[in-house]
Coordinates of all heavy atoms in Angstrom, one line a residue:
A1 N 70.8 52.0 -27.3 CA 70.5 50.6 -27.6 C 69.2 50.5 -28.4 O 69.1 49.9 -29.4 CB 70.5 49.8 -26.4
E2 N 68.2 51.2 -27.9 CA 66.9 51.1 -28.5 C 67.0 51.8 -29.9 O 66.3 51.2 -30.9 CB 65.8 51.8 -27.7 CG 65.5 51.0 -26.5 CD 64.5 51.7 -25.5 OE1 64.2 52.9 -25.7 OE2 64.1 51.1 -24.5
E3 N 67.7 52.8 -30.1 CA 67.8 53.5 -31.4 C 68.4 52.5 -32.4 O 67.9 52.4 -33.5 CB 68.7 54.7 -31.3 CG 68.8 55.5 -32.6 CD 69.5 56.8 -32.4 OE1 69.7 57.3 -31.3 OE2 70.0 57.3 -33.4
I4 N 69.5 51.8 -32.0 CA 70.2 50.9 -32.9 C 69.3 49.7 -33.2 O 69.0 49.3 -34.3 CB 71.5 50.5 -32.3 CG1 72.5 51.6 -32.3 CG2 72.1 49.3 -33.1 CD1 73.7 51.5 -31.5
F5 N 68.8 49.1 -32.1 CA 68.0 47.9 -32.3 C 66.7 48.1 -33.0 O 66.2 47.3 -33.8 CB 67.7 47.2 -30.9 CG 68.9 46.7 -30.2 CD1 69.0 46.6 -28.8 CD2 70.1 46.5 -30.9 CE1 70.1 46.2 -28.2 CE2 71.3 46.1 -30.2 CZ 71.3 45.9 -28.9
D6 N 66.1 49.3 -32.8 CA 64.8 49.6 -33.5 C 65.1 49.8 -35.0 O 64.3 49.4 -35.9 CB 64.2 50.9 -33.0 CG 63.5 50.7 -31.6 OD1 63.4 49.5 -31.2 OD2 63.2 51.7 -31.0
A7 N 66.2 50.5 -35.3 CA 66.6 50.6 -36.8 C 66.9 49.3 -37.4 O 66.4 49.1 -38.6 CB 67.9 51.5 -36.9
L8 N 67.5 48.3 -36.7 CA 67.7 47.0 -37.2 C 66.4 46.3 -37.5 O 66.2 45.7 -38.5 CB 68.6 46.2 -36.3 CG 70.1 46.7 -36.3 CD1 70.8 46.1 -35.1 CD2 70.8 46.3 -37.6
A9 N 65.5 46.4 -36.5 CA 64.1 45.8 -36.6 C 63.4 46.3 -37.8 O 62.7 45.6 -38.6 CB 63.3 45.9 -35.3
K10 N 63.5 47.7 -38.0 CA 62.8 48.4 -39.1 C 63.3 47.8 -40.4 O 62.6 47.7 -41.4 CB 63.0 49.8 -39.0 CG 62.3 50.6 -40.1 CD 62.5 52.1 -39.9 CE 61.9 52.9 -41.0 NZ 62.2 54.3 -40.9
D11 N 64.6 47.4 -40.5 CA 65.2 46.8 -41.7 C 65.0 45.3 -41.8 O 65.5 44.7 -42.7 CB 66.7 47.1 -41.7 CG 67.0 48.6 -42.1 OD1 66.1 49.3 -42.7 OD2 68.1 49.0 -41.7
G12 N 64.2 44.8 -40.8 CA 63.9 43.4 -40.9 C 65.0 42.5 -40.4 O 65.1 41.2 -40.7
V13 N 65.9 43.0 -39.6 CA 67.1 42.2 -39.1 C 66.7 41.8 -37.6 O 66.4 42.6 -36.8 CB 68.3 43.1 -39.1 CG1 69.5 42.2 -38.5 CG2 68.7 43.6 -40.5
E14 N 66.8 40.5 -37.4 CA 66.6 39.9 -36.1 C 67.8 40.2 -35.2 O 69.0 40.0 -35.7 CB 66.4 38.4 -36.3 CG 66.2 37.6 -35.0 CD 66.1 36.1 -35.2 OE1 66.3 35.6 -36.4 OE2 65.8 35.4 -34.2
V15 N 67.6 40.6 -34.0 CA 68.7 40.9 -33.1 C 68.5 40.0 -31.8 O 67.5 40.0 -31.2 CB 68.6 42.4 -32.6 CG1 69.7 42.7 -31.6 CG2 68.8 43.3 -33.8
H16 N 69.6 39.4 -31.5 CA 69.7 38.7 -30.2 C 70.7 39.5 -29.3 O 71.9 39.6 -29.7 CB 70.2 37.3 -30.3 CG 69.2 36.4 -31.0 ND1 68.2 35.7 -30.2 CD2 69.0 36.1 -32.2 CE1 67.5 35.1 -31.0 NE2 67.9 35.2 -32.3
H17 N 70.2 40.0 -28.2 CA 71.0 40.9 -27.4 C 71.5 40.1 -26.2 O 70.7 39.8 -25.3 CB 70.2 42.1 -26.9 CG 70.9 43.1 -26.1 ND1 70.2 44.1 -25.5 CD2 72.2 43.3 -25.8 CE1 71.1 44.8 -24.8 NE2 72.3 44.3 -25.0
L18 N 72.7 39.7 -26.2 CA 73.3 38.9 -25.1 C 74.1 39.8 -24.1 O 74.8 40.7 -24.6 CB 74.3 37.9 -25.6 CG 73.8 36.8 -26.5 CD1 74.9 35.8 -27.0 CD2 72.6 36.0 -25.9
L19 N 73.9 39.6 -22.9 CA 74.7 40.4 -21.9 C 75.6 39.5 -21.1 O 75.1 38.6 -20.4 CB 73.7 41.1 -20.9 CG 74.3 41.9 -19.8 CD1 75.2 43.1 -20.3 CD2 73.3 42.4 -18.8
L20 N 76.8 39.8 -21.2 CA 77.8 39.0 -20.4 C 78.0 39.8 -19.0 O 78.7 40.8 -18.9 CB 79.2 39.0 -21.1 CG 79.2 38.4 -22.5 CD1 80.6 38.3 -23.0 CD2 78.5 37.1 -22.6
H21 N 77.3 39.3 -18.1 CA 77.2 39.9 -16.7 C 78.2 39.3 -15.8 O 78.5 38.1 -15.9 CB 75.8 39.8 -16.1 CG 75.7 40.4 -14.8 ND1 75.8 41.7 -14.5 CD2 75.6 39.8 -13.6 CE1 75.7 41.9 -13.2 NE2 75.6 40.7 -12.6
A22 N 78.8 40.0 -14.9 CA 79.6 39.5 -13.8 C 79.5 40.5 -12.7 O 79.2 41.7 -12.8 CB 81.1 39.4 -14.3
D23 N 79.7 40.0 -11.4 CA 79.6 40.9 -10.3 C 80.8 41.9 -10.3 O 81.8 41.7 -11.0 CB 79.6 40.1 -9.0 CG 80.8 39.3 -8.7 OD1 81.9 39.9 -8.8 OD2 80.6 38.2 -8.3
S24 N 80.7 43.0 -9.6 CA 81.7 44.0 -9.7 C 83.1 43.6 -9.3 O 84.1 44.0 -9.8 CB 81.3 45.2 -8.8 OG 80.1 45.7 -9.3
Y25 N 83.1 42.7 -8.3 CA 84.4 42.2 -7.9 C 85.1 41.5 -9.0 O 86.3 41.7 -9.2 CB 84.3 41.3 -6.6 CG 85.6 40.7 -6.2 CD1 86.5 41.4 -5.4 CD2 85.9 39.4 -6.5 CE1 87.7 40.9 -5.1 CE2 87.1 38.8 -6.1 CZ 88.0 39.6 -5.4 OH 89.2 39.0 -5.0
A26 N 84.4 40.6 -9.6 CA 85.0 39.8 -10.8 C 85.4 40.7 -11.9 O 86.5 40.5 -12.4 CB 84.0 38.8 -11.2
I27 N 84.6 41.7 -12.2 CA 85.0 42.7 -13.3 C 86.3 43.4 -12.9 O 87.2 43.5 -13.7 CB 83.8 43.7 -13.5 CG1 82.6 43.0 -14.1 CG2 84.3 44.8 -14.5 CD1 81.3 43.8 -14.1
A28 N 86.3 43.9 -11.7 CA 87.5 44.6 -11.2 C 88.7 43.7 -11.3 O 89.8 44.2 -11.7 CB 87.3 45.2 -9.8
K29 N 88.6 42.5 -10.9 CA 89.7 41.5 -10.9 C 90.2 41.3 -12.3 O 91.4 41.2 -12.6 CB 89.3 40.2 -10.2 CG 90.4 39.3 -10.0 CD 89.9 38.1 -9.2 CE 91.0 37.1 -9.0 NZ 90.6 35.9 -8.3
R30 N 89.2 41.1 -13.3 CA 89.6 40.9 -14.7 C 90.3 42.1 -15.2 O 91.3 42.0 -16.0 CB 88.3 40.6 -15.5 CG 87.7 39.2 -15.2 CD 86.4 39.0 -15.9 NE 85.7 37.9 -15.4 CZ 84.5 37.5 -15.7 NH1 83.8 38.4 -16.6 NH2 83.9 36.5 -15.3
I31 N 89.8 43.3 -14.9 CA 90.4 44.5 -15.4 C 91.8 44.6 -14.9 O 92.8 44.9 -15.7 CB 89.6 45.8 -15.0 CG1 88.3 45.8 -15.7 CG2 90.4 47.0 -15.2 CD1 87.3 46.8 -15.2
E32 N 92.1 44.3 -13.6 CA 93.4 44.4 -13.1 C 94.4 43.4 -13.7 O 95.6 43.7 -13.8 CB 93.4 44.3 -11.6 CG 92.7 45.4 -10.8 CD 93.3 46.8 -11.3 OE1 94.5 47.0 -11.4 OE2 92.4 47.7 -11.6
G33 N 93.8 42.3 -14.2 CA 94.7 41.3 -14.8 C 94.9 41.4 -16.3 O 95.6 40.6 -16.9
S34 N 94.3 42.5 -16.8 CA 94.4 42.6 -18.3 C 95.7 43.4 -18.7 O 96.2 44.2 -17.9 CB 93.2 43.3 -18.8 OG 93.2 44.7 -18.5
M35 N 96.1 43.1 -19.9 CA 97.3 43.8 -20.5 C 96.9 44.0 -21.9 O 97.2 43.1 -22.8 CB 98.6 43.0 -20.3 CG 99.8 43.6 -20.9 SD 100.3 45.2 -20.1 CE 101.0 44.7 -18.6
E36 N 96.3 45.1 -22.2 CA 95.9 45.4 -23.6 C 97.0 45.6 -24.5 O 96.9 45.3 -25.7 CB 94.9 46.6 -23.6 CG 93.6 46.3 -22.9 CD 92.8 45.2 -23.5 OE1 92.6 45.2 -24.8 OE2 92.4 44.4 -22.7
F37 N 98.1 46.2 -24.1 CA 99.3 46.5 -24.9 C 100.5 45.9 -24.2 O 101.2 46.5 -23.5 CB 99.4 48.0 -25.1 CG 98.2 48.6 -25.7 CD1 97.3 49.3 -24.9 CD2 98.1 48.6 -27.1 CE1 96.2 49.9 -25.5 CE2 96.9 49.2 -27.6 CZ 96.0 49.9 -26.9
P38 N 100.7 44.6 -24.5 CA 101.9 43.9 -23.9 C 103.2 44.7 -24.2 O 103.4 45.1 -25.3 CB 101.9 42.5 -24.6 CG 100.5 42.3 -25.0 CD 100.0 43.7 -25.4
G39 N 104.0 44.9 -23.2 CA 105.2 45.7 -23.3 C 105.0 47.2 -23.2 O 106.0 47.9 -23.2
D40 N 103.8 47.6 -23.0 CA 103.5 49.0 -22.8 C 102.6 49.2 -21.7 O 101.3 49.4 -21.8 CB 102.9 49.6 -24.1 CG 102.9 51.2 -24.1 OD1 102.9 51.7 -23.0 OD2 102.7 51.7 -25.2
E41 N 103.1 49.2 -20.5 CA 102.4 49.3 -19.3 C 101.6 50.6 -19.1 O 100.5 50.6 -18.7 CB 103.3 49.1 -18.1 CG 102.6 49.3 -16.7 CD 101.4 48.3 -16.5 OE1 101.4 47.2 -17.0 OE2 100.5 48.7 -15.7
E42 N 102.2 51.7 -19.6 CA 101.5 53.0 -19.5 C 100.2 53.0 -20.3 O 99.1 53.4 -19.8 CB 102.4 54.1 -20.0 CG 101.8 55.5 -19.8 CD 102.8 56.6 -20.2 OE1 104.0 56.4 -20.1 OE2 102.3 57.6 -20.6
R43 N 100.2 52.5 -21.6 CA 99.0 52.5 -22.4 C 98.0 51.5 -21.8 O 96.8 51.7 -21.8 CB 99.3 52.1 -23.8 CG 99.8 53.2 -24.6 CD 100.1 52.8 -26.1 NE 98.9 52.6 -26.8 CZ 98.8 52.0 -28.0 NH1 99.9 51.4 -28.5 NH2 97.7 51.9 -28.6
S44 N 98.5 50.3 -21.3 CA 97.6 49.3 -20.7 C 96.9 49.9 -19.5 O 95.7 49.6 -19.3 CB 98.4 48.1 -20.4 OG 98.8 47.4 -21.6
E45 N 97.6 50.6 -18.7 CA 97.1 51.2 -17.4 C 96.0 52.2 -17.8 O 95.0 52.3 -17.1 CB 98.1 51.8 -16.6 CG 97.5 52.5 -15.3 CD 96.6 51.6 -14.5 OE1 96.7 50.4 -14.5 OE2 95.6 52.2 -13.8
K46 N 96.2 53.0 -18.9 CA 95.1 53.9 -19.3 C 93.8 53.2 -19.6 O 92.7 53.7 -19.3 CB 95.6 54.8 -20.5 CG 96.6 55.8 -20.1 CD 97.0 56.6 -21.3 CE 98.0 57.7 -21.0 NZ 98.4 58.5 -22.1
V47 N 93.9 52.0 -20.3 CA 92.8 51.2 -20.7 C 92.1 50.7 -19.4 O 90.9 50.8 -19.2 CB 93.1 50.1 -21.6 CG1 92.0 49.2 -21.8 CG2 93.6 50.6 -23.0

C-alpha cells in the first residue's frame, strides 16, 4: 500500500484511502451469500 500510495504522491496525485470494514461474522455471512458466477456453483464456491 505504501509503495503504491507513495508513488502516487510523488506524481502529485491526491489519494483518499477508504476502508470498508465489517466484523468477521458479517464478512463470513456476506461471503456465504455471494454467487459470483450464477449458474456455476463450483466456480462460485472456489471464490
Side-chain angles (χ1 to χ4, degrees):
E2 288 176 354
E3 185 177 338
I4 293 167
F5 298 157
D6 288 350
L8 290 165
K10 184 178 176 186
D11 286 338
V13 179
E14 179 183 7
V15 177
H16 289 273
H17 184 190
L18 299 179
L19 176 64
L20 306 184
H21 175 72
D23 64 48
S24 297
Y25 176 77
I27 294 168
K29 188 173 177 182
R30 290 175 189 169
I31 291 169
E32 291 312 311
S34 70
M35 180 62 74
E36 292 301 310
F37 301 99
D40 191 339
E41 176 57 29
E42 186 177 331
R43 280 182 74 196
S44 292
E45 178 51 33
K46 285 182 181 179
V47 172

